[in-house]
Amino acid sequence: MNQQLAFVFPGQGSQSVGMMSDLNDTHPVVKETFDEASDAFGRDMWALIQNGPDTELAQTEITQPIMFVSGVAAWRAWCQASAIRPAVMAGHSLGEYSAYVCAESISLEQGVRLVKRRGELMRDACPHGQGKMAALIGLEDEKAIAVCAEAAQGQVVQAVNFNAPGQVVIAGHAEAVDRAIDLAKQAGAKKAMPLAVSVPCHSDLMKAASEDLSARLRDTEIKAPVIPVINNVDAAIELDPDLIRQKLATQLYSPVLWVASVNNMVGSGVTHTVECGPGKVLCGMNKRISRQLKVSTLQDQSGFESTLAQLNA
C-alpha cells in the first residue's frame, strides 16, 4: 500500500444526469457494478443515472444509492487499471458506506440495501418542508456553533458538517435555519445560503431514523476492513465490526468531522487524496484544509489518467 495515499468518497450533492458514462467508455466494470447493484435496489440504476431526470436524482432515497454505487464503481475501475492501493480511506457522510464496501467490510449488495433504507428513513424522519440545510462561509467553527445556539429558540439548528476552515453546514428546522442564516450574516459570514436539500442531515431530527438504521446494521454482515477507514463521527479508524455498526448509526445525527478526518490523514503521512466518484467537491475541501495536499479525482477518464500519471511518476 502507498502510505502517502488516501482514497476519499463523496456524498450527496455531486450527482448529475449522465455521470460515470465517460469513465464507463474505457472501464466497462463501471456499468457492470451498477447492473450488479440494480437487483438489490429494485430498479435499473444505470438507466436512471443516464436518463434522469435531475429532479428524481435529487430525491435523497435515489441520490444516496446512486452516489454510493458510483464510488464503488470508480474504485473497481481503479483496481483493474492499477496495483496501487491507498493506506487509508474515508467517505463524506454517505460516502463512508462506499469506503467500507471498497475496504471489503460490507458487500455491495448489503451496502445497496443499507443505503437505500438510510435514504428512505432520512426522507421520512422530517416532514417535507419542515427541515432545511444551509452553508455558512467565512465564519469560524465556534461562531457558527454560537449562531446556531442563538437561533434555536426551542427548535433544532446545529452545525452538522465541518467541511473546511471557514466552511460549515448547518441543519435543522427550516425556521431556525433561516434565523441562523440572518444571524450568520450579522456575525460577518461572507455567505450564508440555503442548500437544495430538504432533509436536515446529521441533525438531532435524524435520531428516530437512526434507531431503525441501527436495527438494519445489526442484521448486516460486517467484517474488519482490509484498508483502514476513518469514520465521520470521531475522525478515527475503527476496525471492530460492532463498533463500525455503532458509528454508522450514530453518524446519522452526528456532525461530519471532515476537517479532523483530513488532518488525521495528513498527520499520518498522507500527501495525496484521490476522490473516488463523481465531482470534485472533496478535492476543493481537502486543499482548503491542507494546501500541501495533492488532490485528484476519478470522476472521468481524464481525471483517471491524470491520477495514474501522478502516482506512477
Side-chain angles (χ1 to χ4, degrees), residues 1-9 75 78 84-91 99 227-230 258 261-266 268-276 282-283 286 293-298 307 311:
M1 291 184 182
N2 184 332
Q3 297 303 313
Q4 296 179 316
L5 179 64
F7 267 53
V8 294
F9 297 83
W75 168 254
W78 176 263
I84 298 171
R85 299 293 179 265
V88 68
M89 292 178 169
I227 299 172
V229 176
I230 297 175
W258 193 251
S261 297
V262 174
N263 282 335
N264 280 1
M265 294 178 198
V266 173
S268 68
V270 168
T271 59
H272 189 146
T273 64
V274 177
E275 186 163 358
C276 198
L282 298 183
C283 287
N286 292 357
L293 269 178
K294 296 176 183 176
V295 299
S296 55
T297 176
L298 302 184
T307 301
L311 293 176

Side-chain angles (χ1 to χ4, degrees), residues 148-286:
C148 289
E150 185 178 349
Q153 298 179 21
Q155 293 184 308
V156 171
V157 58
Q158 298 162 279
V160 296
N161 292 356
F162 295 96
N163 285 339
Q167 185 177 328
V168 177
V169 173
I170 63 174
H173 288 111
E175 300 91 339
V177 171
D178 286 338
R179 288 193 294 269
I181 288 173
D182 291 338
L183 288 169
K185 291 176 180 176
Q186 294 171 28
K190 293 178 182 177
K191 289 184 181 179
M193 52 195 178
L195 298 176
V197 181
S198 60
V199 176
C201 306
H202 301 290
S203 74
D204 284 348
L205 297 178
M206 294 292 109
K207 280 190 173 179
S210 177
E211 294 172 9
D212 189 305
L213 183 64
S214 183
R216 292 298 181 105
L217 285 160
R218 284 196 296 271
D219 293 335
T220 300
E221 182 182 7
I222 297 181
K223 303 173 184 176
V226 298
I227 299 172
V229 176
I230 297 175
N231 74 76
N232 288 183
V233 172
D234 56 15
I237 289 169
E238 191 54 72
L239 300 177
D240 181 273
D242 285 334
L243 291 177
I244 291 172
R245 290 185 179 91
Q246 179 184 321
K247 297 285 174 62
L248 286 174
T250 304
Q251 186 226 58
L252 212 55
Y253 60 87
S254 299
V256 174
L257 303 182
W258 193 251
V259 173
S261 297
V262 174
N263 282 335
N264 280 1
M265 294 178 198
V266 173
S268 68
V270 168
T271 59
H272 189 146
T273 64
V274 177
E275 186 163 358
C276 198
K280 299 186 289 186
V281 171
L282 298 183
C283 287
M285 284 159 43
N286 292 357

